[in-house]
Amino acid sequence: MDTCLEIRQVVAGYGYGTVLRGATLNVPRHQMTCLIGPNGAGKSTLLRAISGLIAVQSGEILLDGVPLQGLTPRQILEAGVVHVPQDRSLFPTLSVWENLLMGGYILRDNSEVRRRALALEERFPTIRQFHHSHAGSLSGGQQRIIEFARALMLEPKVVLADEPSLGLDPKSRTLVFETLTAMSSDGITVLLVEQNARSALRVSDHAAVLELGTVRIEDRAPSLLDNPEVGRLYLGASAAAHRRLPHAEHVRT
């Protein structure tokens, strides 16, 4: 497996305690990897650790073999990792076009910023349709698409997507997953955290189960989708979802 992003025995957390307890994960290059697991498992915390929003207490995070831990969020952005957070992050009183341009704020060449923005406007009809509209006037699904487009302004190697379908209607969820799939097909490595696990696994290439701050199973996404134990514990709505998954060796591809 050609690995783009490596997480090795990462320990991280917040002031109230440790959340990640030796998380280890290989994220394949140019593929979409889905991270599933119960609430509180540390999925969003792992994305924050990768993007530098929280400190790594121990372990390593490597992008193409180069350590990211210890870098500032801006340095990690410049290295090619963009984080699309769970909460809406557009500036609601700015226009859609202005929000898109904000995605290139670390670029020094204004003409390059405009070139990239125009290319993304061609790619995303939502930008053209609502070019002058306040971002806050768009639907949740439309705002999420603009967030993805803004993330692409830096032509990233890796996009971290945290719960992108949260609170969206079925049509908008489908559009979000289609957009993520297209990004992956274009050669961007995507690490997706998603509670809508079945839908996410169906569109992903690779997947892992995170539980209690540790990656318990790592495999091809179709294999996890077909795994009856994973289905019983994490893909259903029964009380069994709160039980722990029996110990299992990581499955590498």
Side-chain angles (χ1 to χ4, degrees):
M1 179 173 66
D2 182 12
T3 300
C4 175
L5 189 65
E6 298 176 70
I7 294 93
R8 299 178 179 173
Q9 295 294 319
V10 167
V11 175
Y14 308 93
Y16 55 80
T18 300
V19 177
L20 299 176
R21 301 176 174 89
T24 294
L25 176 67
N26 288 334
V27 180
R29 189 183 313 279
H30 305 328
Q31 296 186 25
M32 179 151 43
T33 296
C34 176
L35 194 60
I36 66 172
N39 289 333
K43 303 184 297 296
S44 295
T45 299
L46 180 57
L47 297 193
R48 294 187 188 109
I50 295 168
S51 60
L53 296 178
I54 62 171
V56 173
Q57 298 169 18
S58 64
E60 290 184 298
I61 299 174
L62 306 173
L63 176 66
D64 293 328
V66 178
L68 295 181
Q69 72 276 7
L71 299 182
T72 65
R74 177 170 180 142
Q75 289 172 324
I76 293 172
L77 266 178
E78 292 171 342
V81 179
V82 175
H83 187 170
V84 181
Q86 180 181 134
D87 297 329
R88 295 287 179 264
S89 61
L90 296 182
F91 298 95
T93 60
L94 296 183
S95 70
V96 165
W97 180 251
E98 289 168 331
N99 269 278
L100 183 63
L101 294 178
M102 288 293 291
Y105 78 97
I106 68 172
L107 301 176
R108 297 180 179 179
D109 186 343
N110 289 334
S111 63
E112 177 64 13
V113 171
R114 181 171 175 80
R115 183 195 69 79
R116 294 186 187 188
L118 288 171
L120 288 167
E121 186 177 42
E122 287 296 315
R123 179 175 175 181
F124 292 93
T126 301
I127 299 173
R128 189 182 314 111
Q129 182 181 358
F130 297 101
H131 185 105
H132 299 292
S133 301
H134 286 171
S137 69
L138 274 60
S139 70
Q142 290 165 342
Q143 289 189 44
R144 187 58 89 188
I145 297 306
I146 301 304
E147 288 174 339
F148 285 147
R150 186 176 63 182
L152 296 181
M153 281 288 291
L154 295 180
E155 299 182 350
K157 297 177 181 178
V158 178
V159 169
L160 310 175
D162 192 0
E163 300 281 8
S165 76
L166 185 67
L168 301 183
D169 61 85
K171 182 177 179 180
S172 295
R173 286 199 300 268
T174 298
L175 180 59
V176 163
F177 287 131
E178 287 176 348
T179 302
L180 288 166
T181 300
M183 290 164 57
S184 178
S185 297
D186 287 342
I188 297 172
T189 300
V190 177
L191 179 56
L192 166 67
V193 165
E194 182 57 62
Q195 283 293 333
N196 194 346
R198 287 189 185 277
S199 296
L201 287 172
R202 289 190 186 103
V203 299
S204 296
D205 305 290
H206 195 69
V209 175
L210 187 68
E211 185 182 59
L212 297 178
T214 303
V215 175
R216 303 297 300 278
I217 295 180
E218 182 180 344
D219 204 343
R220 300 291 295 170
S223 297
L224 281 191
L225 187 60
D226 293 338
N227 184 316
E229 191 72 356
V230 171
R232 182 174 67 84
L233 296 179
Y234 298 108
L235 304 183
S238 68
H242 300 287
R243 294 173 50 192
R244 293 191 62 192
L245 186 70
H247 291 288
E249 294 296 326
H250 285 193
V251 180
R252 305 290 186 188
T253 56

